[in-house]
Amino acid sequence: MDHKIDRLSVLPEPVMEHILSFMPLKRTLQLSILSKRWQKVWTLFPIPEFNSNFYSSDLSDVFDSYEISDKEKKQKITIKREEREKFNYFVERTLVSRCRQKLGLNKFNLKILVMHEPDYILANRWIGYAIECNVKELNLCLKSYFYDTDEEPDDYQVPKSVLTAKSIVKLKLSGGSLKSCYSDINLSSLRKLVLKRVDMNDRIFRTLISGCPVLEEITIRKCYGLKNIHLQSLPRLVAVTLLYSPKLRSFKLEAPNLKKLLVESTIVTDKWLYDVLSKHPLIESLELRDCSMLKMIKISSDHLKSLTICHCTKLIEVDIITLNLHRLEYCGDVISFSSNAWTLSEVRLDFKNYAPLDVKKIEFLAKLNHPKFLAWDAIAKSVIASKELRETVQSPLYNVKQLKLKVRNPYNIIELVDALLWISPLLEILWIEWWRDVNICFKFSYEDRIYKLKNHSCCKLLPILCWRHCLKTVQIENYGGAIEKETLKRYFSKNAEILESFQYRRLLRSKTVDNVHMKRF
């Protein structure tokens, strides 16, 4: 009778290490109980990432389960506690072993509830082990309550050793307090800093920044106690992200090499933005979100490549003078818009006004200067122009080649296609994300000569022929939809004068626009 052989355990140690480097931590934890040899290899192997997220100590999902009995709740709680104890033992054993062997640690992620004294002691001890292993990337998500609320700060005090660790290159703190750290901050290697919902004050923040001499990127989000942010004396700083901070009064920025700026705050005014852009001419990416005090945006820049303006509710005018802008995203009301950006590759739109397409929207679209790719998030009627409008106004985007429409409500697919082919009458790819996750992709090809030989009534306002007179082939891929082939075939056969080929495929599995058909610019 043949006996089963453990072939894994007889593999050479380098081979075992190579296998482990491709495995997620949870699988490796399961594998480590196979044999003592696997346990040894695992604890000594310099893994690229250590992530404790898959066994969080958060039991809130148990307490939210109202439909199960008390006995079942107790069983679930017991199971979770057993899992937590096993995982705690595994982490402790691994980190201690690595410290003893003086092995480095590239990345340490810790997400844990710290509700009682043993939790504080455990979290601090693990963080200490990671720092002793010269961790390069430290990601701490430490909460002192069950439910995620933004109203109260955590009372967990981040260990001082975190702020003096010279090995850390990237530090992310989510939750916790820095109020016990007033001095002796020295993060001499830190290049990226993320602070989310961290309790601190202005003085601690200034001390923290002064202890990060080579900082390149910083993100601040919902940090309690911060009233005045001043970023200065950071010659390497290239990226700043400031997201909603409830008590913020002022934000001063002095970073001569700044290239990326994202601001979501009510402190942003017309003057503030003008001053920042004047002092930071190298900015390539600018995002303005929920800046409710902004009324007029005027940008003149030779370096700006990407611009995002979203939910700035008082905005009435945007004036862009830039020759290198490639990407524009706008979400808001139809406003006065002017631009000389002839190099736009990608535009993303979401008008808050869902009324039918009118002259103001058409003028806005026309001033986008015909990007190569347009993504439009809307309800169906807001993209459909009336017959009278089509006869009196030029198609606004006649040079756009790729258009993606995300429709939020059910509508007649033929009317949608007809409307979009009027807006962009020589599309090569049209993608419609339709009602209930139905995705339909149209690919079009045309005859080589598309310039006018005679003045057709349907495209009399255009410098070129529209699709009706030069469309040669249509390919349709319908992912998960209930659109009938014959309905679409009749539409194109009736409206395209020289149509040579019509192909239709219905596929069951839905695909996403970005990784199937649309090119990314």
Side-chain angles (χ1 to χ4, degrees):
M1 183 176 180
D2 295 334
H3 294 283
K4 293 183 179 180
I5 301 175
D6 180 6
R7 298 185 182 276
L8 291 174
S9 296
V10 299
L11 290 173
E13 197 160 292
V15 176
M16 296 171 69
E17 293 178 354
H18 186 68
I19 293 172
L20 284 173
S21 68
F22 291 98
M23 295 180 64
L25 184 58
K26 188 173 183 178
R27 295 299 180 190
T28 311
L29 172 58
Q30 295 169 345
L31 188 60
S32 68
I33 64 174
L34 269 178
S35 68
K36 292 182 179 180
R37 185 159 183 257
W38 276 96
Q39 292 176 6
K40 178 183 177 182
V41 173
W42 159 244
T43 56
L44 299 182
F45 182 62
I47 55 175
E49 179 175 353
F50 193 103
N51 192 324
S52 65
N53 288 349
F54 61 85
Y55 270 145
S56 172
S57 60
D58 190 351
L59 303 177
S60 59
D61 59 323
V62 176
F63 294 103
D64 286 339
S65 302
Y66 298 108
E67 297 182 359
I68 64 176
S69 65
D70 291 339
K71 182 178 180 180
E72 290 174 319
K73 284 184 181 180
K74 290 180 180 179
Q75 290 175 344
K76 285 193 172 185
I77 293 172
T78 301
I79 292 172
K80 280 186 171 289
R81 284 175 176 166
E82 289 177 355
E83 290 177 344
R84 182 183 178 186
E85 290 174 0
K86 290 178 182 178
F87 179 69
N88 289 350
Y89 172 74
F90 171 76
V91 174
E92 186 85 14
R93 184 191 64 190
T94 302
L95 290 175
V96 168
S97 178
R98 297 179 72 83
C99 287
R100 288 175 178 173
Q101 297 297 319
K102 297 182 179 181
L103 294 175
L105 194 61
N106 286 340
K107 187 174 183 178
F108 183 73
N109 290 350
L110 179 61
K111 180 178 181 181
I112 190 172
L113 280 173
V114 281
M115 300 186 62
H116 307 291
E117 186 66 24
D119 299 325
Y120 284 80
I121 295 173
L122 187 66
N124 289 346
R125 188 164 68 242
W126 287 356
I127 293 170
Y129 289 147
I131 293 173
E132 189 176 342
C133 291
N134 293 317
V135 63
K136 295 180 179 179
E137 183 173 339
L138 184 61
N139 183 353
L140 303 179
C141 183
L142 306 167
K143 300 181 181 181
S144 58
Y145 41 75
F146 278 126
Y147 301 103
D148 188 10
T149 175
D150 294 321
E151 299 300 325
E152 296 293 337
D154 287 330
D155 57 6
Y156 171 79
Q157 299 295 321
V158 176
K160 293 182 180 180
S161 59
V162 171
L163 303 181
T164 57
K166 297 181 180 180
S167 64
I168 297 179
V169 175
K170 179 180 178 181
L171 174 62
K172 181 177 180 180
L173 298 178
S174 181
S177 174
L178 296 180
K179 286 191 173 179
S180 63
C181 306
Y182 283 99
S183 60
D184 299 327
I185 296 178
N186 184 7
L187 294 166
S188 56
S189 301
L190 190 68
R191 295 200 296 267
K192 184 172 182 178
L193 174 63
V194 178
L195 303 171
K196 178 182 177 183
R197 203 172 32 78
V198 177
D199 188 22
M200 67 178 83
N201 56 38
D202 296 348
R203 177 186 171 187
I204 294 172
F205 181 76
R206 289 194 299 269
T207 305
L208 174 62
I209 294 303
S210 64
C212 307
V214 297
L215 191 64
E216 297 174 359
E217 301 178 43
I218 184 170
T219 296
I220 305 168
R221 181 179 183 183
K222 296 183 180 179
C223 286
Y224 305 96
L226 271 185
K227 296 180 180 180
N228 303 284
I229 296 177
H230 193 176
L231 295 174
Q232 61 178 350
S233 302
L234 296 170
R236 299 190 184 186
L237 189 64
V238 295
V240 173
T241 299
L242 175 64
L243 302 175
Y244 175 67
S245 294
K247 297 182 180 180
L248 191 64
R249 295 175 182 172
S250 67
F251 177 35
K252 295 182 181 180
L253 185 58
E254 297 177 25
N257 294 307
L258 189 67
K259 294 185 178 180
K260 182 177 181 180
L261 176 62
L262 191 167
V263 185
E264 177 188 277
S265 177
T266 57
I267 60 112
V268 177
T269 62
D270 297 357
K271 184 180 184 304
W272 183 92
L273 181 61
Y274 176 82
D275 291 342
V276 167
L277 294 179
S278 299
K279 295 176 182 178
H280 302 88
L282 301 181
I283 290 179
E284 297 178 356
S285 175
L286 175 63
E287 293 189 39
L288 303 168
R289 298 181 180 273
D290 295 299
C291 298
S292 58
M293 300 302 292
L294 270 178
K295 295 180 179 179
M296 300 178 66
I297 296 176
K298 293 193 175 184
I299 300 174
S300 179
S301 171
D302 293 332
H303 291 85
L304 190 65
K305 297 178 181 179
S306 176
L307 175 63
T308 297
I309 304 170
C310 286
H311 305 296
C312 299
T313 54
K314 294 183 180 179
L315 190 64
I316 57 176
E317 182 179 345
V318 174
D319 185 9
I320 305 170
I321 302 175
T322 175
L323 298 177
N324 294 303
L325 189 67
H326 295 299
R327 182 185 183 278
L328 173 66
E329 179 178 354
Y330 179 77
C331 178
D333 292 323
V334 180
I335 59 174
S336 174
F337 178 85
S338 61
S339 170
N340 71 334
W342 293 102
T343 59
L344 276 174
S345 296
E346 177 181 341
V347 173
R348 296 181 178 270
L349 291 177
D350 185 355
F351 291 122
K352 290 177 65 178
N353 180 2
Y354 296 139
L357 199 65
D358 56 17
V359 173
K360 287 186 177 181
K361 284 184 181 178
I362 290 174
E363 289 177 349
F364 187 101
L365 293 172
K367 290 179 180 179
L368 296 176
N369 296 328
H370 307 283
K372 296 177 182 178
F373 169 64
L374 172 65
W376 194 348
D377 193 351
I379 65 172
K381 70 177 183 179
S382 67
V383 303
I384 297 177
S386 66
K387 181 180 179 181
E388 294 75 18
L389 199 59
R390 297 188 191 192
E391 293 176 350
T392 56
V393 180
Q394 186 184 79
S395 299
L397 297 169
Y398 56 82
N399 277 331
V400 169
K401 301 303 180 186
Q402 301 185 25
L403 192 155
K404 171 191 172 185
L405 176 69
K406 185 175 182 180
V407 186
R408 301 177 184 176
N409 61 315
Y411 208 82
N412 185 295
I413 187 65
I414 298 300
E415 289 188 48
L416 277 178
V417 172
D418 190 69
L420 296 172
L421 286 176
W422 177 80
I423 293 172
S424 302
L426 286 176
L427 283 174
E428 294 177 358
I429 297 179
L430 169 62
W431 184 284
I432 300 177
E433 290 188 10
W434 201 46
W435 186 48
R436 293 182 179 174
D437 298 324
V438 176
N439 297 326
I440 305 174
C441 179
F442 300 81
K443 292 182 180 181
F444 306 111
S445 70
Y446 306 88
E447 67 175 11
D448 294 336
R449 301 184 67 179
I450 59 175
Y451 292 96
K452 286 186 176 181
L453 297 177
K454 58 181 180 178
N455 194 15
H456 299 278
S457 59
C458 59
C459 48
K460 62 183 179 181
L461 300 176
L462 290 173
I464 55 178
L465 290 173
C466 73
W467 66 275
R468 298 174 187 272
H469 314 292
C470 51
L471 182 63
K472 289 178 62 177
T473 67
V474 177
Q475 297 180 47
I476 301 175
E477 294 181 356
N478 181 8
Y479 296 93
I483 308 302
E484 294 296 332
K485 170 184 176 181
E486 293 304 319
T487 303
L488 291 166
K489 185 175 182 180
R490 281 196 300 270
Y491 168 77
F492 284 106
S493 298
K494 178 181 178 181
N495 291 280
E497 293 179 355
I498 60 170
L499 186 66
E500 296 178 358
S501 172
F502 177 91
Q503 298 178 18
Y504 177 95
R505 288 196 305 163
R506 183 174 178 182
L507 306 174
L508 295 178
R509 185 177 179 182
S510 178
K511 298 290 184 179
T512 59
V513 61
D514 289 333
N515 60 17
V516 179
H517 295 286
M518 293 301 209
K519 297 178 181 178
R520 303 292 294 171
F521 293 98

